[in-house]
Amino acid sequence: NIACRDAVLAWSAQRPAFDAPGTLRTRWDGRSFKPHPATGALVPDDAAQVPQWEYEQPRRAEWPRADVIVGNPPFIGDKRLREALGDGYVDALRAVWSDVPESADFVMYWWHAAALKVAAGEAQRFGFITTNSLRQTFNRRVVQSALEDGLRLIYAIPDHPWVDSASGAAVRIAMTVAAGGSGEGRLQTVISETPGEHGEMQVQLSERTGVIHADLQVGPNLSAAPALRAMQGISSNGVMRAGDGFLVTAEQAAALGLGQVPGLERHIHPYRSGRDLTATDRGLRVIDFYGLSAEGVRERFPAAYQWLLERVKPERDLNNRPKLKRDWWIFGEPRSLLRVALVGLQRYIVTVETAKHRIFQFLDTSVFPDHKLVAIALDDAFFLGVLSSAAHVAWALAQGSTLEDRPVYVKTRCFETFPFPDADTGLTAALRQRIAARAEAIDAHRKRVLSQHPEALTLTGLYNVLEALRAGRALSPKERAIHQAGVVAVLRELHDELDTAVLTAYGWADLAPTPSPRRGEVQDGEHPSGSGQAMTPAAQTELLTRLLALNQSRAAEELGGRMRWLRPDFQNPQQPAPGPVQAAFDGMDAAPALTARSASAAPTAPAPIHPWPQALPDQVRAVADILASSAHALPLPALEARFKGRGPWKKSLPRILDTLEALGRARREGAGWRG
């Protein structure tokens, strides 16, 4: 990498970096660990430091004149650049190549440099082997920029097996060749892979000709689909812990005081990762002190504080991000906007960001999602049904990227660009109800069979068998056992009925998939939808073309002021951010609260009991009003007693209080709350 990196950056001198007082700047070497004296667990060895370097007069490296540029640059992801090359080099690289997005992988600097040469007429064409992450959004921007500057892709393979020459590890790569001008190119796709006797892979390729877009696809240019405003603000990756010490088992949580220490139940929550959802649920919980100071945690929950002090802080102390060092007891990304979006909901939709099968399901809002889950703050089963349909899965597979050989659900491209059916497309009340019913049935069926056979079934296993049924492939003995225990034929029927209902809701019943073949494999170019029957390549292309046209029609409507909000009460941009939670404070001022407190010395009448409001803004306002008018802090039971009404509304109170605290509208005081 030392020799390779010089191909994109040159400098006059390299020397050790010193801070202002003249102290040598160092960083943890990223490899050395030592046992913690109290826990025995391995933690970063803060004594293992390497010097930082600075680069004098950094500039773009000069490349010799050439007709053709060919290369296999180093594969270093943007998250590992500083670890691999050092802060000084990365800072110089990004300063010199400021037109390359900082989120791009190292290999894209070569790709961009070569594209500039061809665009300037200093080379005829270039070809690179890169990681297959070239299709991911943060790398795709570099390719899109080159295409907009007059280049075209004349050859591409988006995903191909590869054996790393240094480590021998199996990786996935992409191949691209670009030249000037416009026109079509050859797109080859791997349709089968057979291991050879020396570790190599024999591959079979299919080929299509057409204009190759930045996402390394031909056909409708889905990369041109704009994000829709109506989809904004309700999807997010889950919390990024930045420390495994936040995770505890049920036994460890009990030892920290869960169930005994008042208030701790509001800070230790069930936790789910992709592994928990697709394979085996580990039953983990997560410690969440978002909104509390370190001193507040230490005072109220000393055992949990010590747990994080010994298991999270040592790693955070060596982190390059100042915020993570400073706020070591809080998640690296606590997702405050997601917390606000979930207020008032009893459940929400999740999908595993990187997974073999694109599956959506409901989670209870008491469950915290891992950052490798995409959370969508919708609780209506109609939306779950549309997202689970072959229509959306085809869109997501085409719009997303890949990691190794698994599809990645990029929410900005897969969800925020997706146009849902509505009354204008042919969605009737009866169809909406049918879609919701099928989605509820699918979600309930999966959860039921998985709970009945926890040792034998996994979600991935169910959909592996469903895919085999669609392909008409004979099941192995293990798959037949899964088929029997998981009642997979019923799951398939439910998905097929859902797909037909969703396509009908778009007015596209003519695209309803034909029955899957009973013999042989899925045909060349077909996508097993992940949740239904196989579609022919022609039908899939037509489906994506229609969805793209609908996306662009909706975008044009939005420019004209028409918004088809999925959650209008929450997303309405006429309300100050963040939506209905902030809107609940419109018209409020400090005077009523001050008046109520100044009168606290007078005899007080019994506190009135209010009905629990139906709408989220009214719920937030009601809780804020009661806290602001109280002369003393109210513990949760006392606050609950101020409302009446049946239903699960009490489950919403803790999350509303957390949101009010995050917005500075409430604060904890001992075991209670006040405004």
Side-chain angles (χ1 to χ4, degrees):
N1 283 348
I2 296 300
C4 290
R5 70 180 191 172
D6 297 349
V8 288
L9 188 69
W11 55 87
S12 299
Q14 177 186 8
R15 58 192 178 197
F18 294 86
D19 59 21
T23 305
L24 179 66
R25 289 172 50 198
T26 63
R27 65 176 174 88
W28 176 49
D29 66 7
R31 299 184 300 274
S32 302
F33 295 85
K34 65 180 181 181
H36 191 280
T39 67
L42 291 178
V43 296
D45 184 355
D46 53 4
Q49 299 286 313
V50 293
Q52 295 283 59
W53 297 85
E54 60 184 20
Y55 297 81
E56 185 176 322
Q57 296 179 330
R59 59 192 181 278
R60 299 184 179 190
E62 291 293 329
W63 286 8
R65 184 100 182 191
D67 295 327
V68 176
I69 301 168
V70 180
N72 180 11
F75 300 169
I76 306 176
D78 73 297
K79 300 296 189 299
R80 290 192 55 249
L81 274 179
R82 293 185 181 276
E83 174 188 336
L85 303 174
D87 289 345
Y89 181 88
V90 174
D91 291 340
L93 176 75
R94 289 175 172 170
V96 167
W97 292 95
S98 58
D99 48 347
V100 176
E102 288 193 3
S103 57
D105 292 344
F106 197 33
V107 68
M108 299 311 296
Y109 289 86
W110 274 262
W111 208 100
H112 179 63
L116 292 179
K117 290 288 186 183
V118 173
E122 298 175 13
Q124 297 175 14
R125 62 177 62 180
F126 70 90
F128 282 127
I129 294 172
T130 68
T131 57
N132 67 349
S133 62
L134 180 137
R135 293 182 59 215
Q136 294 187 7
T137 304
F138 46 83
N139 290 327
R140 191 188 302 173
R141 297 189 189 104
V142 177
V143 182
Q144 182 63 40
S145 176
L147 299 184
E148 292 172 355
D149 287 344
L151 269 65
R152 65 186 176 104
L153 294 172
I154 60 176
Y155 179 80
I157 300 180
D159 184 63
H160 194 287
W162 188 264
V163 177
D164 186 86
S165 59
S167 65
V171 296
R172 311 292 299 188
I173 57 99
M175 304 181 195
T176 48
V177 179
S182 60
E184 296 184 338
R186 296 167 52 214
L187 178 69
Q188 293 190 328
T189 304
V190 176
I191 58 175
S192 71
E193 303 175 20
T194 305
E197 59 178 317
H198 302 295
E200 77 282 5
M201 279 285 185
Q202 300 292 330
V203 300
Q204 182 181 357
L205 299 170
S206 67
E207 182 171 312
R208 298 177 67 186
T209 301
V211 175
I212 303 176
H213 307 301
D215 55 2
L216 303 193
Q217 296 189 61
V218 298
N221 185 13
L222 301 185
S223 61
L228 300 174
R229 289 180 60 193
M231 310 292 288
Q232 301 299 308
I234 55 174
S235 66
S236 171
N237 284 85
V239 297
M240 181 180 289
R241 302 183 316 274
D244 288 339
F246 290 104
L247 295 178
V248 293
T249 64
E251 294 77 14
Q252 290 167 337
L256 295 177
L258 185 62
Q260 301 176 20
V261 177
L264 187 58
E265 72 280 356
R266 301 188 54 207
H267 300 285
I268 298 184
H269 307 275
Y271 188 80
R272 298 291 184 275
S273 67
R275 172 183 170 186
D276 295 319
L277 296 181
T278 61
T280 302
D281 184 356
R282 297 167 292 169
L284 293 176
R285 302 181 180 224
V286 68
I287 302 172
D288 172 45
F289 286 126
Y290 175 67
L292 290 184
S293 66
E295 293 76 10
V297 176
R298 185 175 60 196
E299 177 184 348
R300 297 174 58 197
F301 311 110
Y305 176 89
Q306 177 173 288
W307 178 275
L308 299 181
L309 182 72
E310 295 177 342
R311 292 164 174 80
V312 175
K313 192 172 187 298
E315 182 178 344
R316 288 286 192 90
D317 284 343
L318 299 176
N319 196 285
N320 286 322
R321 292 175 60 188
K323 180 180 180 294
L324 295 189
K325 291 181 182 180
R326 184 185 69 244
D327 301 335
W328 58 267
W329 68 98
I330 299 172
F331 299 152
E333 295 291 347
R335 307 299 185 197
S336 57
L337 295 181
L338 175 61
R339 294 169 190 258
V340 172
L342 293 178
V343 171
L345 303 184
Q346 302 301 319
R347 61 184 183 179
Y348 62 102
I349 299 170
V350 296
T351 188
V352 181
E353 185 179 58
T354 304
K356 180 179 180 181
H357 303 289
R358 184 51 50 209
I359 302 168
F360 297 83
Q361 59 188 292
F362 278 129
L363 283 186
D364 189 274
T365 50
S366 64
V367 178
F368 271 44
D370 179 79
H371 76 285
K372 289 298 185 181
L373 300 183
V374 176
I376 301 170
L378 297 169
D379 60 356
D380 187 337
F382 164 74
F383 296 116
L384 176 67
V386 176
L387 292 172
S388 301
S389 71
H392 180 68
V393 172
W395 181 265
L397 288 173
Q399 283 281 34
S401 53
T402 57
L403 179 63
E404 298 173 342
D405 58 348
R406 294 166 295 160
V408 178
Y409 192 84
V410 183
K411 76 175 191 67
T412 54
R413 297 304 307 161
C414 301
F415 178 76
E416 294 180 2
T417 61
F418 182 71
F420 276 80
D422 62 10
D424 288 350
T425 65
L427 177 66
T428 64
L431 265 176
R432 185 184 183 98
Q433 184 177 2
R434 188 187 311 167
I435 291 168
R438 294 301 180 273
E440 294 277 22
I442 289 169
D443 198 50
H445 178 91
R446 294 182 306 214
K447 289 173 178 174
R448 181 174 59 252
V449 298
L450 290 173
S451 66
Q452 291 172 345
H453 306 279
E455 302 299 326
L457 297 180
T458 66
L459 196 60
T460 297
L462 289 177
Y463 279 83
N464 284 341
V465 172
L466 177 56
E467 183 178 281
L469 292 178
R470 287 196 308 269
R473 177 175 60 77
L475 302 183
S476 68
K478 180 179 178 180
E479 289 172 330
R480 286 197 295 271
I482 293 173
H483 178 266
Q484 182 68 24
V487 201
V488 179
V490 171
L491 180 64
R492 179 185 181 181
E493 277 197 350
L494 291 171
H495 270 302
D496 291 348
E497 292 168 4
L498 174 67
D499 289 342
T500 299
V502 170
L503 286 172
T504 303
Y506 279 107
W508 303 335
D510 59 308
L511 296 181
T514 56
S516 300
R518 294 300 174 189
R519 294 183 178 83
E521 300 294 333
V522 175
Q523 300 302 305
D524 172 25
E526 292 179 353
H527 282 299
S529 71
S531 53
Q533 298 168 318
M535 298 183 78
T536 65
Q540 276 204 338
T541 298
E542 179 61 24
L543 172 63
L544 295 175
T545 300
R546 294 182 189 182
L547 284 170
L548 177 60
L550 186 58
N551 159 275
Q552 294 177 332
S553 173
R554 296 276 175 85
E557 284 182 354
E558 291 184 347
L559 290 175
R562 183 182 181 185
M563 301 295 164
R564 301 172 188 252
W565 305 111
L566 300 188
R567 283 180 63 188
D569 62 325
F570 178 75
Q571 296 174 288
N572 190 344
Q574 301 304 316
Q575 315 278 9
V581 176
Q582 188 64 48
F585 301 108
D586 286 354
M588 291 179 62
D589 55 42
L594 293 173
T595 302
R597 288 173 186 155
S598 64
S600 62
T604 57
I609 299 177
H610 307 277
W612 181 250
Q614 294 295 316
L616 172 61
D618 296 332
Q619 294 167 7
V620 178
R621 178 186 288 275
V623 174
D625 281 343
I626 288 176
L627 292 178
S629 62
S630 176
H632 52 80
L634 293 175
L636 188 61
L639 189 56
E640 291 173 348
R642 297 291 186 92
F643 297 99
K644 61 183 177 181
R646 297 183 178 180
W649 60 269
K650 290 183 180 180
K651 293 175 64 177
S652 299
L653 267 178
R655 195 174 292 275
I656 288 177
L657 289 168
D658 286 342
T659 303
L660 290 171
E661 183 180 40
L663 294 171
R665 301 286 184 168
R667 69 180 188 277
R668 289 180 176 88
E669 207 170 88
W673 291 83
R674 71 184 309 159

